[in-house]
Amino acid sequence: MTQHVFPIPSALAATAHVDRQTYQDLYQRSLDDPDGFWREQAQILDWVKPFTSVKNTRYSPDAVTIEWFADGTLNASFNCLDRHAQGRGNEAAILWEGDTPGDTRKVTWNDLRQQVIRLANALKKLGVRKGDFVSIYLPVVPEAIAAMLACARIGAVHSVVFSGFSADALAGRIEDCRSRVLITADEGLRAGKHVPLKKNVDAALENLPFVEHVLVVRRTGRDVPMRAGRDRWYDEALAEVPDECAPVAVGAEDPLFVLYTSGSTGKPKGMLHTTGGYLVHAAASFRAMFDYRPGDIHFCTADVGWVTAHTYLIYGPLANGATIVLFEGVPTWPDSSRWWQIVETYKVNIFYTAPTAIRSLMRDGEGPVRQHDLSSLRVLGSVGEPINPEAWLWYHEVVGGGRCPIVDTYWQTETGAVLLCPLPGATNLKPGSATKPFFGVRPALLGSDGTLVEGEGAGNLCFADSWPGQARTILGDRERFLNTYFSTFPGYYFTGDGARRDADGDYWITGRLDDVINVSGHRLGTVEVESALASHPSVAEAAVVGMPHEIKGQGIFAFVTLKEGIAENDDLRRDLIQVVRTRIGPIATPDRIEWAPQLPKNRSGKILRRILTRIAAGDYENHGDTSTVADPAVVAEIVRRVQESTNSSAL
Ligand code: WT7
């Protein structure tokens, strides 16, 4: 196979923070002397009490310890605000672009700091103390960032819940961390449509009496019911508190936030991140991987509900004093030139997005991009799923004008910040490869029997040591944390992904190996979708697998067995889709539902998703090892039906 290699642009090689030699030297040093290396990196932050210990980590089968900078103290909101407001107070921290074209706000460092201080005081007045959890269910508005930083200012722990999640999904995430305070908005606005956030909140809180206070941001100004004694308008609560609030020094290992992500069971995992290590890793990697220079305008398109936004829209950039573009809407509304119009308007230098969006924009051709002057762009980034070479080349050529390196950044909600990525001035690029480990990161490929793959080869992607941004536990479930990440390959952190290493030592992610699928760069547990389907009274059981999808990367294919006597029809299909949307949210909408009289199982009754995955991919003959199937006729019948409906929809 011929391999495109894109060498480092010479202008960047000469001026970048990290060039090829520096990367090699620093990477080696970060492995040989992690304490020295990270002590230096940690100077990117202001510490209240400097740390003396740096790395205290151990992955042994009987004990996992992850501590970084443990005896230091600091405040994240001070690092992301006060030190930049001093001297640059009237410059923009946030350039906000609303869903409706023309609806914009410039939020200066002073403005943001003032808002954070007032909200911190309002939270204190509601009884929020250090270590308490606060849930945030907001659209992509500056108030969402203020809410996160206000929690950080007083040592409270935020839990941002994606505003596209349903009332049920929100309720589960509030219940798990037992937050007594929730910050939301009257409504969200997305592609011109109103999203009933407060209504969802009211439904979510019906069975959660421990939630005492709801602060409501006026986003659209529509009338929403306010429950006396519980609900308050955000602006009114902020108006009546003092405008001073000293940042609280917290321990580096005190929690900063929890963020829920899907796993192999029906229950999402609350990944708990702490303050010092997370912020060092976020800030240092943001600077290196985007080759950030003071004055740059950074545009990360992620929603505040995902880890991408936590680390590379908010904490990493703001800790560096970067001006960020915050965009509430979608790239295709009112038309497919929206992002490029924003890039031109704000003269964006760094642009970070997901492959799925690139693929969907590619369909509309080069026209919408070419209408705009994108010459301000210097570095492009990709995250969330493997980027296919066609999308990479289009992104590079059409968006980046062939001049901008694309940093393909591999990481996870659990890893807090990047683990594998090129650095613009240091790494040759290969479309589709996340290339090399970030500083201090030790990737390892392991065979399923646990043997280490050396040199060129493929295997389970693991990491042999800790890194500062790593999640410290799953909230309330240490056992699950240890089992999920540290028990499969003792001595290693296991990502759940497969990867290949080529002859140059570059890494290529091949996708999830567990019961997790990646839909448009968002992680979904197949079991979550199955449980939602099975909650419908007509369903006996369901099996959900990923299927190849041109735009989303993976789509959701559901095989559903109905109860005795229930008729298979399209109305029921629609009902099932509705159930999933209500239980989880629109992102989990199945792309295809097939009726299966029975599901393929092994002799002990375990559903064989492996076989269904092949069928969903259109592979009707080659099901791998079928010797474990209790009844082969079941597989034959499913294949017959899937083939039949594929043929009829192709007509
Ligand atoms: C999973 C993590 C990292 C923030 C967004 C997603 C996949 C992520 C890449 C990449 C190939 C990638 C992996 C990973 N993934 N980035 N650059 N190339 N795959 O965070 O929801 O925690 O999902 O996304 O499968 O395990 P997440």
Side-chain angles (χ1 to χ4, degrees), residues 336-541:
S336 293
S337 70
R338 192 74 199 273
W339 277 353
W340 319 125
Q341 195 185 313
I342 294 172
V343 168
E344 178 174 2
T345 305
Y346 299 103
K347 301 201 167 29
V348 169
N349 307 107
I350 305 168
F351 180 75
Y352 191 36
T353 195
T356 184
I358 298 296
R359 285 192 297 267
S360 90
L361 291 170
M362 273 170 81
R363 280 190 312 192
D364 296 329
E366 301 182 4
V369 195
R370 302 266 185 225
Q371 287 162 25
H372 295 280
D373 175 6
L374 306 187
S375 58
S376 57
L377 289 174
R378 199 179 67 242
V379 177
L380 303 174
S382 172
V383 65
E385 50 174 322
I387 180 164
N388 49 310
E390 298 72 33
W392 195 102
L393 292 167
W394 191 86
Y395 194 22
H396 188 256
E397 207 43 52
V398 181
V399 178
R403 347 170 274 289
C404 310
I406 298 178
V407 290
D408 179 352
T409 64
Y410 169 83
W411 55 297
Q412 309 177 301
T413 306
E414 291 87 338
T415 72
V418 77
L419 293 188
L420 304 174
C421 68
L423 301 181
T427 322
N428 287 339
L429 304 175
K430 295 175 186 170
S433 169
T435 71
K436 295 284 197 284
F438 189 69
F439 300 119
V441 168
R442 292 176 186 266
L445 299 178
L446 277 85
S448 296
D449 58 357
T451 52
L452 196 61
V453 177
E454 310 267 7
E456 232 180 310
N460 294 274
L461 178 61
C462 296
F463 291 91
D465 202 347
S466 175
W467 57 90
Q470 184 169 27
R472 303 304 195 249
T473 193
I474 293 175
L475 185 67
D477 204 343
R478 180 88 191 153
E479 193 74 17
R480 185 174 181 196
F481 181 66
L482 300 178
N483 279 337
T484 309
Y485 306 107
F486 301 97
S487 72
T488 320
F489 301 103
Y492 294 90
Y493 168 88
F494 176 42
T495 60
D497 286 303
R500 182 166 69 77
R501 185 171 43 225
D502 69 17
D504 303 322
D506 287 317
Y507 288 86
W508 301 74
I509 308 298
T510 49
R512 300 289 310 192
L513 300 169
D514 51 7
D515 291 328
V516 167
I517 49 183
N518 190 325
V519 180
S520 301
H522 299 314
R523 206 200 303 190
L524 279 174
T526 51
V527 183
E528 275 174 271
V529 185
E530 288 167 4
S531 321
L533 290 167
S535 72
H536 190 282
S538 300
V539 172
E541 87 185 321

Side-chain angles (χ1 to χ4, degrees), residues 315-332:
Y315 284 111
L318 296 185
N320 278 280
T323 298
I324 61 171
V325 172
L326 186 70
F327 176 43
E328 186 184 35
V330 304
T332 47

Side-chain angles (χ1 to χ4, degrees), residues 548-562:
H549 189 288
E550 217 181 307
I551 304 294
K552 301 183 192 177
Q554 279 190 301
I556 301 175
F557 196 132
F559 295 87
V560 176
T561 307
L562 296 174

